[in-house]
């Protein structure tokens, strides 16, 4: 009976309706962003289906090539990349794409060009597919200065110029988290019976302080002093408070999603082995930092606000500390004190 009632409900807010509602607040809007987001949603639905079928479809196992980051590619990576490239180009609203899987920026042919640039990681955490850990797609959207003649400079913009950003997590359920900057951060869950993303997490606000820290402690011997001190304080607080819990999936989408909902801090710091950090700026650090800030948190690189960084190359990397406002404030203080000592 419940199922019957559910399928006939008309008050469900689908992602399409939500985006159209947002558009209607701006009479001058042409609907281009709405069309582009609908194509991204379509790509997410396709990849979600492919991820769920991966075991049966023999898409697992290496595709036999190495991507530009030196990572061995899973077949699902290749498929996801093709899906999003096609979905974005056929929207007719993009002029340039930057994918984690492709070495060069993709310039859309003039007849299909629009005014947006999309940066994306089509399948983040794909090395986790075999063990059933959540993986996801991360994306960010910029406005091109000149959509008729886009150049690399159009995409090498700081994250504070993003128009929208989001991620889709393929796990026990398929969840899409999106911000267009005006309406905060909203989470949608794919209802398989309807084939629609439904608003399930309206206006997500990250708790001001959390009880969780998330970092790969296997890199601890290579950390700098502020990171080491912060993690030490998480485990052995000096103020008599309870220690924080450690949670680290190793799939950025899953770790950031948990941080967004439950609070705490996610860190991928620079270290001696990776002096610029490991995560890519354009399509990992920027979109996630944007979402965290829109939800009331902070994102910091160890030197500055993450969204103020200006990339020099499309595959640049950066350290990042993101999460609850108060928790990131603590690590900022440690870096400020360390820089004061070194001055």
């Amino acid at each position: 009976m419940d199922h019957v009632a559910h399928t006939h409900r008309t008050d469900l807010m689908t992602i399409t309706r939500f985006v159209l509602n947002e558009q209607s607040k701006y009479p001058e809007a042409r609907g281009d962003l709405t069309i582009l987001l609908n194509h991204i949603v379509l790509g997410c639905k396709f990849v979600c289906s492919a991820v769920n079928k991966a075991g049966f479809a023999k898409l697992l196992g290496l595709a036999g090539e190495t991507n530009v980051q030196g990572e061995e590619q899973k077949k699902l990576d290749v498929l996801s990349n093709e899906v999003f490239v096609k979905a974005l180009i056929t929207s007719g609203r993009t002029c340039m794409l930057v994918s984690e899987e492709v070495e060069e920026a993709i310039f859309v042919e003039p007849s299909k060009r629009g005014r947006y640039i999309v940066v994306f990681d089509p399948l983040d955490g794909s090395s986790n597919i075999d063990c059933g850990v959540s993986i996801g797609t991360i994306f960010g959207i910029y406005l091109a200065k000149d959509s008729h003649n886009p150049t690399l400079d159009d995409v090498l913009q700081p994250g504070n110029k993003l128009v929208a950003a989001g991620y889709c997590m393929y796990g026990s359920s398929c969840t899409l988290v999106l911000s267009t900057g005006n309406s905060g951060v909203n989470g949608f869950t794919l209802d398989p019976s309807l084939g629609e993303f439904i608003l399930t997490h309206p206006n997500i606000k990250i708790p001001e302080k959390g009880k969780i820290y998330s970092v790969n402690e296997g890199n601890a011997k290579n950390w700098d002093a502020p990171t080491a001190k912060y993690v030490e304080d998480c485990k052995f607080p000096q103020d008599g408070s309870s220690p924080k819990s450690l949670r680290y999936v190793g799939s950025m989408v899953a770790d950031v999603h948990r941080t967004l909902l439950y609070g705490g801090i996610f860190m991928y710091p620079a270290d001696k082995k990776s002096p610029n950090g490991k995560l890519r700026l354009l399509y990992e650090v920027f979109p996630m930092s944007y979402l965290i800030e829109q939800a009331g948190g902070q994102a910091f690189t160890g030197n500055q606000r993450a969204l103020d960084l200006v990339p020099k190359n499309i595959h640049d990397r950066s350290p990042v500390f993101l999460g609850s406002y108060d928790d990131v404030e603590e690590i900022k203080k440690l870096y400020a004190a360390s820089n004061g000592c070194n001055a």
Side-chain angles (χ1 to χ4, degrees), residues 70-90:
E71 299 164 338
E72 290 182 312
Q73 276 184 308
K74 296 272 179 178
K75 286 188 175 170
L76 216 43
D77 291 24
V78 181
L79 177 73
S80 305
N81 185 59
E82 287 174 1
V83 164
F84 278 102
V85 168
K86 281 180 184 160
L88 292 165
I89 290 174
T90 56

Side-chain angles (χ1 to χ4, degrees), residues 107-228:
F107 290 90
V108 178
E109 62 181 88
S111 63
K112 293 181 179 162
R113 274 183 196 163
R115 53 190 183 146
Y116 291 106
I117 295 167
V118 183
V119 294
F120 62 101
D121 186 343
L123 206 59
D124 188 72
S126 52
S127 59
N128 286 314
I129 296 169
D130 292 358
C131 60
V133 167
S134 294
I135 53 182
T137 299
I138 309 171
F139 63 89
I141 302 173
Y142 286 106
L143 205 50
K145 296 183 187 92
D146 179 0
S147 57
H148 299 295
N149 298 296
T151 67
L152 269 187
D153 285 344
D154 286 325
V155 77
L156 297 176
Q157 300 186 55
N160 56 37
K161 301 282 192 207
L162 281 166
V163 176
Y167 60 81
C168 190
M169 184 172 72
Y170 315 111
S172 51
S173 59
C174 183
T175 306
L176 196 151
V177 174
L178 172 70
S179 177
T180 53
N182 337 320
S183 52
V185 181
N186 292 278
F188 304 82
T189 304
L190 186 63
D191 181 332
S193 65
L194 299 173
E196 284 279 14
F197 279 101
I198 305 298
L199 180 64
T200 48
H201 297 73
N203 200 20
I204 298 168
K205 293 288 178 208
I206 188 168
E208 279 183 31
K209 194 171 177 58
K211 297 175 181 173
I212 296 170
Y213 73 104
S214 184
V215 66
N216 182 352
E217 289 215 47
N219 294 330
K221 73 168 191 167
N222 293 317
W223 286 344
D224 62 17
T227 296

Side-chain angles (χ1 to χ4, degrees), residues 228-238 243-244 330 334:
K229 171 83 170 78
Y230 182 81
V231 172
E232 183 74 5
D233 290 345
C234 288
K235 294 193 278 193
F236 304 99
Q238 301 299 302
K244 289 188 189 293
E330 288 298 313
L334 289 170

Side-chain angles (χ1 to χ4, degrees), residues 206-212 230 259-260 262-266 292 296-299 322-330:
I206 188 168
E208 279 183 31
K209 194 171 177 58
K211 297 175 181 173
I212 296 170
Y230 182 81
T259 304
L260 194 58
Y262 300 163
I265 190 166
F266 167 80
I292 290 285
Q298 293 195 77
L322 57 78
S324 294
Y325 193 95
D326 292 354
D327 293 326
V328 177
E329 201 60 29
E330 288 298 313

